[in-house]
Amino acid sequence: MAHKPWIETTYHGIVTENDNKVLLDPPLIALDKDAPLRYAESFEVTLTEEGEICGFRIHGQNVPFEAVVLDKSTGEGVIRVKDKLDCEQQKEHTFTIQAYDCGEGPDGTNMKKSHKATVHIQVNDINEYSPVFKEKSYKATVIEGKKYDSILKVEAVDADCSFQFSQICNYEIVTPDVPFTVDKDGFIKNTEKLSYGKERMYKLTVTAYDCGKNRASEDVLVKISVKPTCKPSWQGFNKRIEYEPGTGSLALFPSMHLETCDEPITSIQATIELETNHIGKGCDRDTYSEKSLHKLCGASTGTVELLPAPSSSANWTLGLPTDNGHDSDQVFEFNGTQSIKVPDGMVSTSLKEPFTVSVWMRHGPGAHEKETILCNSDKRDMNRHHYSLYVHNCRLILLLRQDPSEAETYKPAEFHWKLDQVCDKEWHHYVLNVEFPTVSLFVDGTTFEPFLVTEDYPLHPTKIETQLTIGACWQENSGHDNDTETVSESSSGGNARMSQFFRGNLAGLIIRSGKLENKKVIDCLYTCKEGLDVQLPEEVASAVKVEFNPNQSALTVEGDDIDAFDKVMQHISYLNSRQFPTPGIRHLRVSTNIKCFNEDACVMVPDAEGYVMVLQPEEPKISLSGIDHFARSAAEFESQEGVTLFPELRIVSTITREVEADTESEATEGADDDPTVQETVVSEEIMHNLDTCEVTVVGDELDGEHEGLEVDMSQLLQRSLEMSSSNLGLVITGVNTMANYEQVLHLIRYKNWHTEALFDRKFKLVCSELNGRYISNDFKVEVNVIHTANPVEHANAMMQPNFNNPVHHASVELTGHNLVNAHQASVIPSAATIVIVVCVSFLVFMIILGVFRIRAAHQRTMRDQESGKENEMDWDDSALTITVNPMETYEDQHSSEEEEEEEEESEDGEEEDDITSAESDSSEDEEAGEPEDQQVANRQQQLEWDDSTLTY
């Protein structure tokens, strides 16, 4: 009877990862009852194959072992490593094994298998890996004079799988004679107090050993910097910060932190100041005209600008000293001798209705005399001041004398404000809302009440006209001085007409009649386009308090948590919202105040100073282009519509940038051998506003009796633009897009009611942005007047009856002039066109006459020729004639080719002569296939006839 082999149910083995023999417990032996007893004292057996163990079979997936039978008769076997083992990848392996005997029949049915036994094999580690440090190098900073328990920690790891060989048992400083030591955990500390004067940096080499005595494969470098004794200060502060225009907010202190030298503190207060007093009128603002700024801020009606930039329509500020160093910001200087008179009719303010006076002023302490900003006084005799705004002893005073009324009673006449701002030599914005009997003053957006109001009688009724002046008060030196004003002598020694001169700077002086400025408009006018900003992180918003000043040039941060305080400082940023900001330096200062538990020993933090450098913006190039030379008939100039000056005007603004040449591989392939090709300049079109376009006449001034420039005012108002005109031209003002300016300029028309002696008129167009900061090219237009004579028109009508029919071309080039019809539908014949038509007609007549003479000569010749030459046409050149158009030369023949072709087509349509039409068509067909130069030569040859025998 056959039995199954028998093995143990569980085996445990151990193998070293670099060995292939597995030590099993118990040993691998398979028993079979069919086998004889080996150790019987006496036995008699007959060996059969069924009693032998033929093999072992391992069951499992990707088992790196194999089982081998050592002795079939005893069933002894071993387990060996089949594939290389790696303890670091797998420390243990588990699989099953089964033994089978050799009892196989012809069909294999007699083979017996044992049960499956579980084998657990543990892979033992060898110390094949060395320690490796986690960092390539280590850095630390210590303060001199201190002994540290720990300066920094170095750490190494070992990739071996066993606890013994993977553990780092020891660290060692290899560099000799250094005042540092390292413990078994990798902590480095100094063994003595360090001195900054003796050594500023120590470089140590450190190695590591695992518990198997393997040394690190690479030692690590440790740098320990020694700093002087701790001084409380702001660390990580970059003194120069560059700001690229158009990039939004820029963090000022991204790596900044406060060093308190471990002193216990209770609170921190820091003030960050951005100094912009030297930029414009205290900071960066749009430099449009004050009237345009009022419109942008919502004050769209009733404003009169008393200190405008000098122009053809507003020239009373011409000659007044200006400050040109503030990026086209129009600032006027008054040094105690200058003043200006405002033209009559500019301001029609009735003191009975509300009005507003606003001005930018910079004024120092000055003398103890009255200094007039604005004054409206009698032109003659009386020297009465109706209203004036002046400064006196650091006070701002508004004089407001009422007009005569029925009740002769005292009324408020002078309003006094005592202000530090009047004498601090800084720019301030003043707005006075006058609604009698109350006056409200806003200085830099803040309200101030008058500390003194005096009363006076209304003025006596007179018919004397008044004079409005700026920078002084108009007074006639006649002895009358009802208002106790002193009259100063001029430097020339004559009678003085001005007194109480102002010393300081003024800008943006505006009077707005009929309405008061609301707080929203006032704040808009004063708000800076640059300043400080901060985005508080959510985690520190409640721990730190932040406050700004009105124009955001300074902010204060308060808190008691240093880490939260540092985070807020790191989020403070600079922002300039102008498209073209004013370049230059803005100084920064951080002032810090710290409170400690011990007030006597509290740390002092010095101010941190730096600056923001606003880089130069890429300047736009404003280009005006279009038709710059054209002609119109006299009738169009005299018509109700007039002549459009800029029908196809285009306004384009571009900036140029330099691009590295190597960024364009295709462009540089052919330029590799040329060392001069290094960069490429590209032009990029941008969009921005315009604030002024001025059309001026070139040559004689406009005569208002018979000529002028006009524009549709409704279209201007629709786009919130204004227009002023004079005998020099017209000026369109207002902040608007280039597209809107382009549309309005298309509407400008020139009219002239007496064109008999007019042959041409020239105009110049210039547009600008930001009050003249960026100015376009001078676009000049010349328009010619076409005078038409009646006899010539009659002859032209006979020769070309269909000339005035609509044609496809909108314009015809004639000797450099564009003849463009205003309606783009028909062409009006000019004098030059009529002359050409007459000459061409005369030429056609001469050609026809010449052809008839040639035919007569040809018939006589044919009778004398032989019969074999009947198909030849051998003409006699003696009868030919050269007919030359006196208006045409070889040089301009090519330029007038288009006119000739049109005239030939007209002649063909009239069918004046069959032979001429046939010859012309043949000639044109031949010329169409020839080069241009050859065509010219052929035409010249065709005209070279002999006219010696031709009679007229």
Side-chain angles (χ1 to χ4, degrees), residues 273-279 282 553 585-589:
E273 297 174 280
L274 180 72
E275 296 182 5
T276 60
N277 293 338
H278 60 292
I279 303 296
S553 63
I585 291 176
R586 279 79 163 160
H587 288 281
L588 272 174
R589 179 182 292 107

Side-chain angles (χ1 to χ4, degrees), residues 188-199:
I188 297 177
K189 63 180 181 179
N190 55 325
T191 57
E192 62 184 44
K193 293 181 179 180
L194 304 177
S195 172
Y196 177 78
K198 181 179 178 181
E199 191 71 45

Side-chain angles (χ1 to χ4, degrees), residues 921-938:
D921 292 340
S922 175
S923 175
E924 289 175 359
D925 293 339
E926 291 174 1
E927 290 175 1
E930 296 177 354
E932 185 177 348
D933 295 338
Q934 186 64 34
Q935 292 179 17
V936 174
N938 291 343

